[in-house]
């Protein structure tokens, strides 16, 4: 890869190999598996008598996801990408089968805690796998396409989940989640390992030192990720109730519009980040994110919510592939899993904090939602200032 006048010259190497296609399809079914539950979990927990714990639905999930990131990063760099992805998909499969069995509030919360291991493992290894099988100079484009697949699952999942609950039952919804995870598992099992010198698993690999937790070189994208995803935790927690409050029957409608608007912009944003640099693209995404969060809070009508959802989708569709590629750019070749895990730790911390704080403040009072959204917009502004500062001071490349 050569750089001329701050622009990256793109290679014409093939990118659409069977490995890349399989990992994209696996990402689609994996994301659909766990996300199809999101719109219906608040009402399900309330039916169990746990309405006051709604903020924990996302917070517990992201807690274990965040805690597991250092382990998944280390294992991805040692035993291989494939076994780490397999473990995450297996967690989704098992949890879907147990939700109908553990029907107490504390049983549900325990499952949410365990379910978080799925996203703590599979996405870390999947992103690393993508970086192994595509040309380095087309990494942003590749991350954008994988993001399209993942986001398609995020869109189809909530819509399908709400449809299943509307016409069937919670049990059918949970078992359908397991079925999606099983399809992801089948696709992952057909992948060939890409780590050149993998080690056999041993318990000693689960010993984590402070040097295994954070890749310092990946801190700039991690900080931007945190500031961007606090709002996402809020959205996952409050939007189902906000959607219902403005008159929608299907609680997944926001996520449908959000994901559709982000799908194709991911492909374009990824390519632009390859050509013009990650930071310039991320700044555009952060500006749109700020605007979207303000609109979601202020336009409390059906059309207003859909406008906010569409701009929010554009923002996240621009930010996500650029940040993923930026993280790889800054990583050490032999520690790509660790760098990606660092970025995902920040992601889970942002989502978890957003979900926990918003759930605590919300207390089923929809009048409080606009203020929460404005606070998230303020964090997006902080992100804009931070990334401009590091760009001007040449603290991080790209």
């Amino acid at each position: 890869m050569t750089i001329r006048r701050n622009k990256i010259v793109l290679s014409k190497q093939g990118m659409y190999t069977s490995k890349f296609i399989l990992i994209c399809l696996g990402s689609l079914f994996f994301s659909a598996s766990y996300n199809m539950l999101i719109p219906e979990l608040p009402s399900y927990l309330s039916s169990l008598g746990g309405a006051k714990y709604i903020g924990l639905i996302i917070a517990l999930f992201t807690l274990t996801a965040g805690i597991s990131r250092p382990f998944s990063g280390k294992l991805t760099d040692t035993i291989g990408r494939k076994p780490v992805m397999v473990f995450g998909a297996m967690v989704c499969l098992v949890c879907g089968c147990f939700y109908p069995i553990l029907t107490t509030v504390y049983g549900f919360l325990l499952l949410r805690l365990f379910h978080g291991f799925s996203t703590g493992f599979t996405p870390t290894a999947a992103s690393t796998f993508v970086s192994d099988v595509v040309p380095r100079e087309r990494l942003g484009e590749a991350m954008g396409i994988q993001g399209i697949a993942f986001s398609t699952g995020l869109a189809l999942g909530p819509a399908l989940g709400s449809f299943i609950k509307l016409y069937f039952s919670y049990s059918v919804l949970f078992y359908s989640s397991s079925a999606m995870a099983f399809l992801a598992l089948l696709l992952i099992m057909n992948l060939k390992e890409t780590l050149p010198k993998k080690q056999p698993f041993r318990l000693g690999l689960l010993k984590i030192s402070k040097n295994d937790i954070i890749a310092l070189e990946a801190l700039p994208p991690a900080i931007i990720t945190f500031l961007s995803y606090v709002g996402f935790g809020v959205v996952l927690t409050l939007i189902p109730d906000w959607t219902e409050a403005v008159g929608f029957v299907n609680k997944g409608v926001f996520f449908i519009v959000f994901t559709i608007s982000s799908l194709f912009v991911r492909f374009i944003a990824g390519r632009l980040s390859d050509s013009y640099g990650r930071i310039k693209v991320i700044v555009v995404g952060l500006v749109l994110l700020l605007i979207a969060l303000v609109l979601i809070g202020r336009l409390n009508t059906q059309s207003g919510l859909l406008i906010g959802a569409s701009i929010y989708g554009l923002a996240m569709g621009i930010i996500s592939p650029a940040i993923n590629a930026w993280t790889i750019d800054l990583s050490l070749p032999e520690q790509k899993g660790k760098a990606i895990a660092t970025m995902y730790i920040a992601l889970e911390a942002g989502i978890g904090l957003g979900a926990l704080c918003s759930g605590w403040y919300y207390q089923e009072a929809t009048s409080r939602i606009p203020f929460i959204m404005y606070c998230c917009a303020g964090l997006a502004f902080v992100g804009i200032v931070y990334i401009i500062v590091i760009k001007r001071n040449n603290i991080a490349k790209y």
Side-chain angles (χ1 to χ4, degrees):
M1 178 179 66
T2 59
I3 301 177
R4 297 176 186 172
R5 294 183 182 178
N6 248 355
K7 294 185 180 182
I8 301 174
V9 180
L10 300 182
S11 166
K12 298 299 182 181
Q13 288 178 263
M15 188 176 73
Y16 298 97
T17 62
S18 60
K19 289 180 179 180
F20 182 66
I21 293 171
L22 283 174
I23 193 62
C24 287
L25 290 174
S27 296
L28 188 155
F29 286 111
F30 174 78
S31 65
S33 170
Y34 72 87
N35 215 57
M36 68 189 299
L37 305 178
I38 296 299
E40 301 302 328
L41 289 184
S43 58
Y44 178 70
L45 182 57
S46 295
S47 73
L48 298 178
K52 63 182 179 180
Y53 298 114
I54 283 177
L56 294 179
I57 291 174
I58 302 301
L60 289 177
F61 187 91
T62 55
L63 175 64
T64 43
I67 290 173
S68 63
R69 294 293 183 187
F71 297 94
S72 65
K74 183 176 181 179
L75 292 174
T76 296
D77 290 331
T78 51
I79 69 171
R81 324 319 190 185
K82 183 175 174 178
V84 175
M85 288 188 282
V86 166
F87 177 77
M90 283 294 298
V91 170
C92 275
L93 193 157
V94 171
C95 285
C97 293
F98 272 89
Y99 278 112
I101 298 172
L102 298 179
T103 55
T104 65
V105 171
Y106 294 112
F108 172 85
L109 295 177
L110 178 64
L111 270 179
R112 289 304 291 169
L113 192 66
F114 183 70
H115 205 163
F117 283 111
S118 61
T119 57
F121 276 78
T122 297
T124 301
S127 295
T128 309
F129 185 91
V130 169
S131 72
D132 292 337
V133 300
V134 301
R136 182 65 177 259
E137 58 270 26
R138 298 184 68 181
L139 184 59
E141 179 183 354
M143 290 297 182
I145 294 170
Q146 190 215 6
I148 289 173
F150 195 86
S151 295
T152 300
L154 293 180
L156 294 178
L160 181 60
S162 289
F163 176 84
I164 291 171
K165 171 53 183 66
L166 191 62
Y167 291 100
F168 297 98
S169 66
Y170 284 117
S171 292
V172 174
L173 170 62
F174 294 136
Y175 291 134
S176 298
S177 172
S178 287
M180 287 287 185
F182 180 70
L183 292 174
L185 189 60
L186 289 179
L187 291 163
I188 292 169
M189 292 298 294
N190 280 285
L191 293 171
K192 185 178 179 181
E193 181 57 57
T194 56
L195 182 64
K197 298 179 181 179
K198 61 179 183 177
Q199 304 175 25
F201 175 78
R202 63 183 191 278
L203 290 177
L205 292 175
L206 296 179
K207 183 179 180 181
I208 299 294
S209 69
K210 62 180 182 180
N211 293 327
D212 294 321
I213 298 175
I214 300 294
L216 296 178
E217 62 276 7
L219 277 180
I223 290 170
I224 294 299
T225 298
F226 174 80
L227 295 170
S228 303
Y229 276 85
V230 170
F232 194 61
V234 172
V235 165
L236 290 175
T237 303
L238 302 185
I239 284 300
D241 282 3
W242 195 227
T243 303
E244 190 175 38
V246 300
F248 286 109
V249 176
N250 189 323
K251 296 178 185 178
V253 67
F254 178 94
F255 297 99
I256 296 171
V257 174
F258 155 71
T259 310
I260 290 174
S261 70
S262 75
L263 287 180
F264 296 105
V265 77
R266 286 177 178 269
F267 175 76
I268 297 169
R271 295 194 69 177
L272 288 175
S273 77
D274 287 331
S275 299
Y276 297 101
R278 319 300 186 198
I279 290 179
K280 292 178 181 178
V281 172
I282 292 170
V283 168
V284 173
L286 287 172
V287 171
L288 289 175
L289 180 62
L290 189 157
I291 294 170
L293 289 167
V294 170
L295 292 179
I296 292 170
R298 186 166 182 79
L299 303 180
N300 56 345
T301 62
Q302 290 188 5
S303 58
L305 188 64
L306 295 182
I307 291 171
S310 62
I311 298 176
Y312 188 70
L314 289 175
M316 299 306 288
I318 290 170
I319 292 170
S320 181
I323 283 184
N324 288 349
W326 190 25
T327 302
I328 295 292
D329 293 336
L330 299 175
S331 68
L332 302 176
E334 70 281 4
Q335 293 185 350
K336 289 192 288 184
K338 179 181 174 182
I340 291 173
T342 299
M343 185 268 293
Y344 274 119
I345 288 171
L347 182 147
E348 303 295 355
I351 293 176
L353 185 65
L356 189 62
C357 292
S358 63
W360 169 79
Y361 179 72
Y362 170 50
Q363 296 296 309
E364 298 188 296
T366 54
S367 60
R368 296 182 175 182
I369 292 179
F371 175 75
I372 297 171
M373 293 298 172
Y374 300 152
C375 290
C376 296
L379 291 179
F381 179 75
V382 173
I384 294 169
V385 173
Y386 172 77
I387 202 168
I388 290 174
V389 168
I390 64 171
K391 175 65 174 177
R392 286 182 177 176
N393 290 280
N394 295 314
I395 296 174
K397 62 179 179 178
Y398 297 104

